Amino acid sequence: MTETEGEKKSARVVVADDQTVVREGIVMLLGLLPGVEVVGSAGDGEEAVRLVGELAPDVVLMDLRMPRCDGVEATRRIRAQYPGTQVVVLTTYADDESLFPALHAGARGYLTKDAGGDEIVRAVESVLSGDAGLSPSVQRRLLERLSEPRPEPKPAAAEAPDGLTARETEVLVLIAEGLSNQEIARELHVSTATVKTHINNLFAKTGLKDRAQAVRYAYAKGLVRPRAE
């Protein structure tokens, strides 16, 4: 039997959140709302990616701060491996360090956990129709960011030594410029966990032990140059 005209299929949703009480609360809330069918729930990013592969949901409601694999990395994997599944971030955090890496990873929606059920459903419907499902506060921040002056592009660095990748070299240069992990993440639009992974990799390749050695190494290899007095 075919669907009657105007009838819509429910959006199949997976909920990913490491806090059991929060996750079960979201699942319960969604179960009361029309147009949404919760087909699975995950306690971390690794499990979320696995469930997407098994269940092929339409949307994942994704928390950001989770063990094993955070929401940004899980979003990146899902969008790369299962492009038919959209991701809507549902998180406590709306700061730039959380927002922009998530959107850069491929999330099409971004809500904070004070969103009501109707707002969640609207976001799910929006991303499935090809639009963005963003809360009003996130939309305002994006407009503010777009209106900010763009920094001058950095000059091309010297050829990467010791088998460093382009991104590892970029992280090394930013370390030498005195940026913290959080500042590097914001500069590169990635998560701090991703920055830490790049740092661990470049330390292993170069034999460096700490950031002070990394600074000296970057200057010695000509990746950065002393500023003129």
Side-chain angles (χ1 to χ4, degrees), residues 68-158:
R68 292 207 301 167
C69 173
D70 65 21
V72 170
E73 180 60 26
T75 297
R76 184 177 294 109
R77 293 185 193 177
I78 289 168
R79 296 299 298 144
Q81 299 174 31
Y82 311 105
T85 296
Q86 300 294 337
V87 176
V88 174
V89 170
L90 185 60
T91 181
T92 304
Y93 308 96
D95 53 280
D96 286 5
E97 290 80 2
S98 301
L99 170 61
F100 293 104
L103 296 180
H104 186 70
R108 292 285 298 170
Y110 197 106
L111 303 173
T112 54
K113 287 181 179 175
D114 58 359
D118 291 343
E119 190 173 355
I120 294 174
V121 171
R122 282 196 300 270
V124 169
E125 291 176 345
S126 293
V127 299
L128 290 181
S129 65
D131 297 327
L134 305 174
S135 69
S137 62
V138 169
Q139 292 183 44
R140 286 194 299 272
R141 181 61 195 118
L142 286 175
L143 290 174
E144 292 169 359
R145 181 66 173 264
L146 289 173
S147 67
E148 293 173 356
R150 297 179 65 86
E152 292 295 326
K154 295 181 180 293

Side-chain angles (χ1 to χ4, degrees), residues 172 175-176 199 202-204 206-218:
L172 176 60
I175 290 174
I199 291 174
L202 74 89
F203 276 20
T206 58
L208 299 172
K209 302 300 183 183
D210 54 40
R211 296 175 86 94
Q213 289 186 2
V215 172
R216 292 194 293 270
Y217 176 89

Side-chain angles (χ1 to χ4, degrees), residues 56-70:
D58 300 307
V59 176
V60 178
L61 288 179
M62 182 77 74
D63 189 24
L64 290 181
R65 310 288 174 87
M66 295 186 291
R68 292 207 301 167
C69 173
D70 65 21

Side-chain angles (χ1 to χ4, degrees), residues 21-44:
V21 172
V22 174
R23 183 173 67 252
E24 291 179 350
I26 295 171
V27 170
M28 183 178 299
L29 171 65
L30 294 178
L32 300 174
L33 301 175
V36 175
E37 177 190 2
V38 178
V39 296
S41 63
D44 57 55

Side-chain angles (χ1 to χ4, degrees), residues 8 31 49 52 55 73 104 121 126 149 161 177 197 207 216 227-228:
K8 294 192 303 183
V49 175
V52 170
L55 303 173
E73 180 60 26
H104 186 70
V121 171
S126 293
E177 292 178 354
T197 297
R216 292 194 293 270
R227 294 180 180 176

